[in-house]
Amino acid sequence: MATSEAKNERRRRTELLQFYGGVSKEDTPYNINSKHFNHDMYVQKTIKESSLKQLLEHEAQMVSEIQTLDSDCQTLVYDHYDKFIAAADIVRKMKEGSVKMEAQITRLQENMGRITASSTSITSALQERRGHLSRLLGVHGTLRKLEFLFHLPQKIDECIADKNFTEGVRSYVETAEVLHRYRHMPSFNAIHDDCEAAVGRLNLALKEQLALKEGSARHLTECVDLLLQLGEPAEGLCDDFLAHARTKLEDDLSNLTKLAEAAVILEEDEALSQGAGEETTGPDHTKEQPSQEETGEEAKLECTTVDILEFVDICHETFVGNLWLVISSYKEMFLRSPEEGGSRSSSVALEKLRVFVAGLVEQYVAVVGVRVTAEPDTAHYAPLTTALDKFHRRLHAITQLLPNTNFGDAALSLVIEAGLARCQSSLSALKVELAFSLGDVRHALAAPRHLTQDGTESTHRQLNEHLTRLVAATAASIKERVTALQAFTQPKHTFAVRAEFRRRFCRELVREGVVVAFFLHITDTMLQFCHKKDKDPVLLLLLSRMCLDLHTSTVHYLLSHCDEQLQLEDKTGLTQLHTITDGMREAGQKLLNHYVHTQGASISQMLRRSVELKDWLGCGEPRSVRRVMRTVLDEICTMDTQVGALYEEGNRRDRSSDSSRRTFHSVGASRGGAGGRSAWSSYTPSQLDNSLVANLNKLWSERIEIFAPVEFTRVSILTGIVKISLKTLLESVRLRTFSRFGLQQVQVDAHYLRTYLWSYVADEHVLNVLLDEVVTSASVRCCDPELMEQRVVEFICDQS
Amino acid sequence: MDDAPVIYGLEDFQARALAAHAAETEKINFLVGTQSLRRVNQVQLIEFDDDTSLVTKQTFEHPAGEVWRIVAAPQSPDLIATVYNNTQDYCGEFGAAIWRLPLEGSSSGVLDDTRTGGEQVEKLCSLDGTCRGDPQIPGSPVHGLGSQAWSVVWAPEYDSRLLGSQVAATHGSNVRAWDVRTMKPSWCVEGAHTQLVSDQRVILSNLPSIASQPFGTMVDQEESSKEEREKSEGTEEGVIQIYDDHEDSVYAVEWSAADFWTFASLSYDGRLVINKVPRSVKYKQFINHEF
């Protein structure tokens, strides 16, 4: 047996070994721990494979291992022996104890038998009484329930009287099922009928409560909830509920409307009283205050003090709060999850709610719109935007409460509308400011006319002051407006974050609608000055310079400032900077041209009259330059001072060659001709026709554009004026007939002008050509053309 | 391509008087009066042949003085009126008169250019403001101009019996009319212009070196030859074309009486330029009139 077990065990072990793949190593005859160990082979292998030293070490190791194994074996044997002895002891003791126990157990069995017998007898004795008792208890419970049922109608009535509807409904709902179940029994039926009657009364009472207008929304909700519990049909009830809620909310709305309209009236009154105040003696606060109070009292309520923030808060407390309550309680009552009340009816109910809310919100938005419109346009928009933000935020919240609605959009469009109104009023305010500052400058220029002739310095200072003030005021007012309007775009406002709003407001309204529109307005205003006849020429000059300043720097600065402030990065579709600056430049150019034409015309007028009114045939030998020429020079000098104050000098064509030729001309004239003819006439024998010479002269000179546009420089402007004046002189001369002395007078005048005008013109050549042509024309129109000696001409001019 | 302008010089005369030959509706004729203080002035009848683009002229002497203004009578090709400045005594007096041109029986055909002094204009009537002994207008702003003729026009009456029967002349600030049939003064409006009738000159003198940009645009045939303006109020406004063939101030532009699309401009240096309205404009006008 033992051998078979051992065999089994061994087999299992080998199987395990095979399974884990340890066989090859473990089962070799060289493994000392293996069952296949062959000591001869091992010894031979060890001897063969190992060196002597290794053998010696191996031997020592083997010896010590053998010793260890021996001692282990001995210990095991001793241990087993001890345990065996102890076990033998215990067995012996147990044999002694078991004899005593047997007797005790037998006695215990006897006692138990006796107890069982007595208990059985007691039970049988009490059996009958217990059954009776339990029946009595049952009857008692039923009776109490019945009593409650009998009293129920009464109790409900009490509840109605006490207005303790909740208690009444609860007690009915608890018992309703029982009553319903036992309705077939006559007595219960009576109770049931009574109950139904009482519940009907309860129902009526609740509906009465519902109809009361003073009831708060919470109270309303309670009533409807109770009615629902009483099994009232939800369909009709939600209509009732909404109808009652509507009256309540419409009350709120009408109150708000009153507030808003009061604000409108107040605003109008204020505007009126302000207008009146301005008409009389400026702002007089002591006078205005009582009048305001009076109007406030007339407008009833103490709404005079309701500013827009308070207004929105009131909206929130009354209408929006109640609406919120109505929606949430409605949802709670009528829109339970689909499993509870059919999905179809709830979707109908939801649709009803949606229509209801949409209608009310529409009215509400309109009312707020009225109030926002009434808000006066101070340049400080923070309260307004905060109010708008609150308004928007709350409507947005309602949207979230009620799916598939979008009141946020309605609110946003109101906000945009408010923004639009502010932008428009900003633009018109800017226009008014511009008109004011232009008017100021005009008055300043018109009033101290004498001061401008004080001297170059003061003229310079004054004109530059005006210019700086004008440009600075314009720039400042634009910046101020943009900054004020930025109240709308502050990220703390929820609406300001919406891309739709940003796009509409920043791009279309502020940038295009205010800044760009104002620049275009400036350009238009400037251009209008070109078409008015009675304008002060200095004003034209100043404005042209302003346009140029705006063109070169100010517009660029302001527009990029605006873009930066509004964080406009995508500039596609926006008005380009250069379209504005180009317009400015064009306006400046037109103003300057207009200035040149006006000034040229005024000098032309003097020259023309002087030529027209003089008797050129009967005049005597010239002794001096005519006075009008000096006046003309004075005028041009004044203009030069004004222009010089505002414009840089500019380039003038190199003078040296021209002047040298001119001197040659004069020298040739004074020496050459026997008759003292100047250069052009020295080539002109009397038999040769003058006009041929004139044509020859023209061949060599470029065509002169008299009304050519001028550049933005002092020299170019003055050249323009001089050209127009001299052309007039030429044309006037051609209309008259001259005697010899008349011609000589023209010669003297022309020389005088040449001597003093050269410093003002860009190209002296132009001056010479025009003046030569004047003298030529005069000599053609002369019956006895004989020029004065150049020396005498110079002498006369020096004398003057 | 538009026709190139025809440029014609007045032989070293200066000139500012130009008129269309109103009674001549067959040929494109213009009348030019010259201005010279030292030579005998002329009235030149210039004919422009549209087909050959050739210019022929007839010259008549105008011994009364330099011509400041010239108008042709609408009823008779040989009647003209001029405002002239008497150069004989250098008194600077302006006068006006009606003249008859000694036209040849057939005014066509190339004339001999050398016959410059051949004919003289024949004076029919002097439109003299002072001959009736009118007092000078008191307060007249310019001495010596009160009785002087400045302007003369033929009455544009289209009644055939009355056609061209009246001539009006401006003397200082008066307007006088003559009946041509009797050559007698018919009526007079005194002080019609409290200011000098000289506004036109302001415009002229202020116009840009007229040489460089003559009046460019003429459009409507309705207003052609009667009122030419620098910018017509025609179908579309704006400059149609700028002609810069002149080098001196242009004082007169006239539509031809015979051809609606031809006009002449005269500059001070005696250069007469005959131009045509650009064809594109012309055709546009036709199209517009069809509808």
Side-chain angles (χ1 to χ4, degrees):
Chain A
M1 211 172 126
T3 50
S4 76
E5 264 185 7
K7 237 183 220 167
N8 261 345
E9 205 169 82
R10 206 171 298 146
R11 191 168 49 82
R12 213 179 297 141
R13 203 189 297 156
T14 51
E15 277 170 6
L16 279 170
L17 275 170
Q18 272 171 355
F19 180 76
Y20 289 109
V23 198
S24 55
K25 209 178 172 188
E26 299 295 317
D27 284 357
T28 50
Y30 308 111
N31 189 348
I32 203 161
N33 292 325
S34 166
K35 58 187 176 182
H36 305 290
F37 181 65
N38 186 324
H39 55 86
D40 289 328
M41 283 167 74
Y42 179 76
V43 168
Q44 275 173 6
K45 182 179 176 257
T46 314
I47 291 170
K48 258 189 254 174
E49 290 177 356
S50 309
S51 63
L52 180 64
K53 194 181 169 201
Q54 278 174 335
L55 278 176
L56 284 174
E57 277 174 8
H58 197 67
E59 194 217 349
Q61 192 191 335
M62 296 282 265
V63 169
S64 73
E65 274 178 15
I66 290 165
Q67 280 174 353
T68 321
L69 285 173
D70 271 346
S71 67
D72 284 355
C73 192
Q74 274 178 4
T75 328
L76 277 173
V77 170
Y78 285 133
D79 279 359
H80 280 135
Y81 189 68
D82 274 355
K83 282 171 186 165
F84 182 74
I85 291 170
D89 273 355
I90 289 167
V91 168
R92 194 168 30 83
K93 275 181 193 166
M94 277 177 73
K95 268 183 184 167
E96 284 169 11
S98 67
V99 179
K100 235 189 285 173
M101 253 194 18
E102 233 165 272
Q104 285 175 343
I105 285 173
T106 317
R107 213 169 43 204
L108 185 65
Q109 273 178 343
E110 282 168 10
N111 287 343
M112 282 302 289
R114 242 175 288 147
I115 288 169
T116 312
S118 54
S119 129
T120 314
S121 66
I122 289 169
T123 310
S124 58
L126 287 177
Q127 186 78 38
E128 193 187 342
R129 186 170 286 214
R130 198 172 54 205
H132 188 62
L133 204 62
S134 71
R135 215 178 322 128
L136 279 179
L137 273 174
V139 169
H140 179 70
T142 316
L143 281 175
R144 271 182 58 181
K145 278 183 190 164
L146 279 174
E147 192 193 359
F148 181 75
L149 281 180
F150 280 124
H151 285 301
L152 185 58
Q154 226 173 325
K155 193 177 175 194
I156 288 173
D157 284 343
E158 273 169 29
C159 285
I160 293 171
D162 293 351
K163 308 227 165 191
N164 193 355
F165 302 109
T166 323
E167 178 64 25
V169 171
R170 195 174 50 78
S171 43
Y172 171 74
V173 169
E174 276 170 6
T175 53
E177 204 189 334
V178 180
L179 275 174
H180 196 70
R181 200 191 304 154
Y182 296 105
R183 208 172 27 174
H184 56 278
M185 292 157 86
S187 56
F188 278 108
N189 198 14
I191 295 172
H192 181 255
D193 288 349
D194 281 356
C195 271
E196 286 297 312
V199 166
R201 284 195 295 281
L202 181 62
N203 216 333
L204 276 178
L206 279 173
K207 281 187 176 164
E208 256 170 44
Q209 286 291 315
L210 210 56
L212 285 178
K213 285 197 173 171
E214 301 86 57
S216 70
R218 194 176 300 281
H219 185 70
L220 189 72
T221 314
E222 229 170 64
C223 289
V224 173
D225 193 32
L226 293 176
L227 280 171
L228 266 182
Q229 286 183 32
L230 287 179
E232 196 68 14
E235 195 90 348
L237 208 54
C238 69
D239 283 345
D240 279 357
F241 178 74
L242 288 184
H244 292 311
R246 182 185 294 281
T247 53
K248 184 81 186 74
L249 290 171
E250 273 172 356
D251 274 358
D252 286 346
L253 273 180
S254 71
N255 279 335
L256 293 177
T257 314
K258 273 179 207 154
L259 279 179
E261 275 163 2
V264 174
I265 292 167
L266 183 70
E267 163 72 5
E268 278 166 4
D269 283 352
E270 224 159 62
L272 275 178
S273 68
Q274 264 181 16
E278 272 168 26
E279 268 172 31
T280 55
T281 45
D284 191 356
H285 287 286
T286 48
K287 265 192 178 175
E288 254 177 54
Q289 223 94 38
S291 77
Q292 267 186 23
E293 274 167 27
E294 274 169 28
T295 52
E297 277 163 9
E298 273 172 33
K300 72 193 174 278
L301 303 167
E302 58 274 27
C303 36
T304 29
T305 50
V306 173
D307 71 9
I308 186 135
L309 265 176
E310 282 178 65
F311 178 78
V312 170
D313 281 342
I314 292 172
C315 287
H316 181 58
E317 281 159 20
T318 57
F319 176 80
V320 180
N322 288 337
L323 186 65
W324 175 276
L325 212 59
V326 166
I327 293 172
S328 50
S329 43
Y330 185 94
K331 278 175 82 176
E332 205 175 287
M333 288 183 297
F334 301 111
L335 303 176
R336 301 233 173 79
S337 54
E339 306 97 60
E340 278 180 50
S343 63
R344 195 154 47 85
S345 72
S346 89
S347 78
V348 168
L350 182 64
E351 194 49 44
K352 271 183 190 164
L353 178 64
R354 211 172 278 152
V355 170
F356 167 78
V357 174
L360 283 171
V361 165
E362 196 180 311
Q363 289 179 41
Y364 169 63
V365 169
V367 170
V368 175
V370 168
R371 178 64 185 89
V372 168
T373 320
E375 183 70 5
D377 184 19
T378 56
H380 186 57
Y381 299 135
L384 175 67
T385 53
T386 313
L388 284 174
D389 180 44
K390 281 185 177 174
F391 164 73
H392 174 262
R393 211 184 280 252
R394 283 158 193 172
L395 268 191
H396 195 68
I398 286 180
T399 298
Q400 280 170 347
L401 192 66
L402 201 59
N404 285 336
T405 53
N406 210 348
F407 304 128
D409 280 357
L412 192 68
S413 68
L414 180 73
V415 172
I416 288 176
E417 214 166 280
L420 175 67
R422 299 295 158 237
C423 286
Q424 280 168 349
S425 62
S426 291
L427 181 59
S428 48
L430 282 174
K431 285 179 180 173
V432 169
E433 279 169 39
L434 178 72
F436 264 126
S437 44
L438 282 179
D440 280 353
V441 170
R442 222 166 79 199
H443 286 303
L445 286 179
R449 204 76 180 94
H450 56 282
L451 276 183
T452 51
Q453 281 159 2
D454 256 10
T456 322
E457 278 301 306
S458 79
T459 311
H460 276 221
R461 197 168 38 75
Q462 273 187 6
L463 286 179
N464 273 315
E465 260 175 30
H466 287 315
L467 176 69
T468 323
R469 205 178 305 146
L470 203 53
V471 173
T474 311
S477 54
I478 292 178
K479 272 172 86 170
E480 193 185 309
R481 286 291 162 173
V482 170
T483 314
L485 285 170
Q486 260 182 289
F488 279 94
T489 63
Q490 280 176 7
K492 69 177 181 186
H493 300 323
T494 43
F495 60 76
V497 184
R498 292 178 65 166
E500 189 192 346
F501 175 78
R502 289 199 72 85
R503 194 184 60 239
R504 183 99 170 79
F505 184 79
C506 295
R507 292 166 65 92
E508 288 172 31
L509 296 184
V510 178
R511 189 184 190 272
E512 298 292 310
V514 178
V515 181
V516 172
F518 181 56
F519 283 138
L520 295 181
H521 171 75
I522 292 180
T523 317
D524 280 353
T525 314
M526 295 299 172
L527 285 178
Q528 275 166 19
F529 276 93
C530 291
H531 303 305
K532 292 178 191 163
K533 281 258 154 72
D534 56 336
K535 288 300 167 200
D536 185 359
V538 185
L539 182 66
L540 294 174
L541 190 68
L542 193 72
L543 292 182
S544 81
R545 178 69 213 191
M546 179 187 174
C547 282
L548 192 65
D549 278 2
L550 287 170
H551 158 75
T552 45
S553 59
T554 316
V555 169
H556 179 262
Y557 163 70
L558 285 173
L559 206 60
S560 54
H561 170 81
C562 158
D563 288 350
E564 206 175 281
Q565 293 294 311
L566 298 171
Q567 295 161 2
L568 293 176
E569 273 133 27
D570 177 24
K571 302 245 173 85
T572 49
L574 295 176
T575 309
Q576 300 283 312
L577 171 69
H578 68 82
T579 49
I580 302 170
T581 52
D582 286 357
M584 288 288 177
R585 192 186 162 85
E586 198 184 323
Q589 180 76 60
K590 280 188 176 156
L591 281 168
L592 199 58
N593 287 348
H594 191 56
Y595 169 77
V596 169
H597 294 182
T598 314
Q599 297 289 55
S602 79
I603 291 180
S604 291
Q605 187 75 7
M606 283 193 270
L607 287 170
R608 190 176 69 83
R609 294 204 86 87
S610 81
V611 174
E612 250 174 27
L613 299 183
K614 189 170 167 68
D615 178 11
W616 293 101
L617 284 168
C619 64
E621 194 171 358
R623 304 225 171 271
S624 66
V625 178
R626 286 191 298 143
R627 194 182 297 133
V628 68
M629 295 300 161
R630 265 174 285 175
T631 321
V632 165
L633 268 184
D634 283 348
E635 279 294 310
I636 290 182
C637 180
T638 312
M639 291 172 195
D640 181 58
T641 317
Q642 289 161 358
V643 175
L646 294 172
Y647 282 98
E648 287 81 35
E649 182 69 26
N651 295 326
R652 63 174 74 230
R653 207 175 276 181
D654 193 13
R655 166 157 191 272
S656 60
S657 63
D658 269 340
S659 63
S660 67
R661 204 172 68 206
R662 176 49 48 195
T663 44
F664 165 72
H665 276 207
S666 2
V667 170
S670 53
R671 288 187 200 141
R677 300 175 173 228
S678 76
W680 45 268
S681 56
S682 64
Y683 300 113
T684 317
S686 51
Q687 63 264 33
L688 230 158
D689 197 281
N690 277 327
S691 62
L692 178 66
V693 182
N695 282 341
L696 273 178
N697 272 352
K698 267 180 211 138
L699 273 182
W700 308 121
S701 60
E702 293 166 27
R703 183 171 278 183
I704 299 166
E705 293 267 350
I706 300 298
F707 283 97
V710 294
E711 290 163 24
F712 292 101
T713 61
R714 173 184 183 171
V715 168
S716 177
I717 295 165
L718 264 295
T719 309
I721 297 171
V722 167
K723 275 196 295 192
I724 292 173
S725 312
L726 292 185
K727 182 70 182 177
T728 308
L729 184 61
L730 170 66
E731 296 295 341
S732 311
V733 162
R734 281 181 175 181
L735 288 170
R736 304 303 310 271
T737 309
F738 297 85
S739 68
R740 181 167 54 150
F741 293 141
L743 169 63
Q744 289 178 355
Q745 181 68 61
V746 171
Q747 191 191 359
V748 168
D749 290 349
H751 183 81
Y752 179 79
L753 287 179
R754 179 174 294 145
T755 321
Y756 292 99
L757 280 183
W758 69 265
S759 63
Y760 299 119
V761 296
D763 186 1
E764 206 189 355
H765 179 63
V766 173
L767 181 69
N768 286 331
V769 168
L770 283 168
L771 285 172
D772 281 351
E773 221 168 320
V774 169
V775 181
T776 314
S777 293
S779 80
V780 168
R781 298 294 311 155
C782 180
C783 347
D784 177 20
E786 191 175 331
L787 288 168
M788 202 180 241
E789 268 186 61
Q790 187 68 23
R791 192 163 41 80
V792 183
V793 172
E794 278 167 17
F795 177 75
I796 293 174
C797 286
D798 289 347
Q799 288 285 303
S800 309
Chain B
M1 270 299 289
D2 283 321
D3 296 322
V6 175
I7 299 175
Y8 171 76
L10 288 186
E11 290 182 351
D12 308 328
F13 276 104
Q14 289 177 322
R16 61 167 82 218
L18 171 71
H21 201 184
E24 179 60 81
T25 51
E26 299 295 315
K27 286 169 280 195
I28 301 173
N29 282 6
F30 291 100
L31 288 163
V32 178
T34 64
Q35 275 197 321
S36 174
L37 289 169
R38 291 182 273 285
R39 296 167 60 186
V40 178
N41 281 288
Q42 298 176 341
V43 170
Q44 297 193 351
L45 177 63
I46 290 162
E47 183 187 332
F48 172 66
D49 189 328
D50 203 10
D51 300 324
T52 60
S53 289
L54 285 177
V55 174
T56 53
K57 72 166 180 182
Q58 270 181 289
T59 309
F60 309 98
E61 284 190 354
H62 183 274
E66 51 181 12
V67 183
W68 281 77
R69 201 173 151 79
I70 187 166
V71 285
Q75 79 275 28
S76 159
D78 59 352
L79 274 186
I80 59 165
T82 60
V83 174
Y84 58 90
N85 180 19
N86 187 355
T87 54
Q88 298 299 314
D89 47 3
Y90 300 128
C91 64
E93 280 286 316
F94 282 84
I98 300 177
W99 312 85
R100 181 184 298 283
L101 295 175
L103 289 175
E104 293 181 350
S106 62
S107 55
S108 61
V110 181
L111 289 158
D112 188 358
D113 274 356
T114 55
R115 288 187 299 162
T116 46
E119 287 105 331
Q120 275 198 359
V121 289
E122 179 193 344
K123 190 174 197 168
L124 292 181
C125 171
S126 175
L127 308 174
D128 191 348
T130 52
C131 62
R132 294 279 169 268
D134 285 341
Q136 286 201 351
I137 309 300
S140 170
V142 184
H143 170 75
L145 291 180
S147 62
Q148 293 190 3
W150 272 112
S151 178
V152 58
V153 289
W154 293 91
E157 290 176 40
Y158 289 102
D159 183 334
S160 58
R161 284 180 303 114
L162 289 173
L163 181 69
S165 61
Q166 287 196 331
V167 164
T170 326
H171 293 92
S173 54
N174 296 354
V175 178
R176 292 168 200 281
W178 279 263
D179 194 323
V180 181
R181 288 164 297 191
T182 59
M183 294 298 172
K184 295 263 175 61
S186 57
W187 48 269
C188 172
V189 180
E190 289 191 21
H193 305 271
T194 49
Q195 290 179 324
L196 270 183
V197 190
S198 56
D199 305 4
Q200 193 69 12
R201 286 181 302 142
V202 184
I203 298 169
L204 276 178
S205 58
N206 279 348
L207 274 172
S209 102
I210 301 163
S212 64
Q213 46 181 82
F215 324 107
T217 64
M218 12 235 102
V219 175
D220 262 347
Q221 52 205 52
E222 279 90 10
E223 52 184 344
S224 68
S225 80
K226 282 288 175 265
E227 10 183 290
E228 76 266 53
R229 285 286 98 111
E230 291 120 62
K231 294 202 176 107
S232 91
E233 308 288 323
T235 41
E236 64 251 53
E237 293 186 22
V239 174
I240 290 177
Q241 195 174 345
I242 290 177
Y243 300 91
D244 51 2
D245 307 305
H246 288 288
E247 291 186 356
D248 205 336
S249 304
V250 173
Y251 292 130
V253 180
E254 282 287 333
W255 290 100
S256 161
D259 180 11
F260 294 134
W261 306 104
T262 308
F263 64 95
S265 55
L266 179 68
S267 59
Y268 191 59
D269 54 5
R271 178 181 289 187
L272 180 76
V273 177
I274 298 174
N275 259 310
K276 292 195 170 198
V277 174
R279 285 194 185 148
S280 55
V281 179
K282 194 167 155 182
Y283 295 150
K284 210 178 281 174
Q285 283 290 319
F286 280 134
I287 291 165
N288 284 342
H289 278 272
E290 271 175 30
F291 297 109

